[in-house]
Amino acid sequence: SIFQSVTVSGAEQFGDLTLTTAGLDSNKQYVLLLKEGEQIIDTFVIFRAGGSQVVKRGLPPGKYTMELIEDLNRNGDWDTGNYDNRRQPERKMIFGPEVLRAGWEQEVKLTWRE
């Protein structure tokens, strides 16, 4: 017989994050990255919407950042541009809210600025 113990943390050990975007151009596509340090936790694509709301439940406590990218070529990635074609990098904004704590429901508003 093989015995293996599994430890499951309770829901109070995690936090919930509600991300609300505003000020987006409804004719463009945007990519929202949820990151912890340099690691991408989740990716959301926002298409044909002036704003949206994303709820991410059960996140471990920690410092998260959000990157909102104006995805002009709609490939789902941030492109650095092309010198030969004289194409600028896609614009992006980085948001750094407060640290997410265990048992918290944190709301973050991400407003795109032209």
Side-chain angles (χ1 to χ4, degrees), residues 17-21 32 34 42-46 52-57 106 108:
L17 195 56
T18 301
L19 306 172
T20 304
T21 58
L32 176 60
L34 175 62
D42 213 340
T43 303
F44 307 96
V45 177
I46 304 165
S52 67
Q53 187 175 52
V54 175
V55 178
K56 188 71 178 166
R57 299 190 189 285
Q106 185 173 359
V108 180

Side-chain angles (χ1 to χ4, degrees), residues 20 31 38 41 49 74 77 88:
T20 304
V31 176
E38 290 300 314
I41 304 298
R74 298 182 178 175
D77 292 321
Q88 295 290 323

Side-chain angles (χ1 to χ4, degrees), residues 71-113:
D71 191 17
L72 297 175
N73 60 0
R74 298 182 178 175
N75 67 349
D77 292 321
W78 177 68
D79 294 307
T80 59
N82 186 315
Y83 180 79
D84 294 331
N85 295 339
R86 297 179 183 222
R87 189 178 65 236
Q88 295 290 323
E90 292 176 330
R91 296 186 310 155
K92 70 177 176 177
M93 296 183 77
I94 300 172
F95 301 88
E98 293 182 32
V99 174
L100 180 66
R101 292 180 172 83
W104 279 29
E105 293 179 13
Q106 185 173 359
E107 295 181 8
V108 180
K109 185 170 184 179
L110 312 171
T111 303
W112 184 263
R113 308 249 186 239

Side-chain angles (χ1 to χ4, degrees), residues 17 32-35 39-42 56 59 64-66:
L17 195 56
L32 176 60
L33 301 177
L34 175 62
K35 298 173 77 174
Q39 181 182 4
I40 297 174
I41 304 298
D42 213 340
K56 188 71 178 166
L59 289 171
Y64 293 93
T65 58
M66 295 86 191

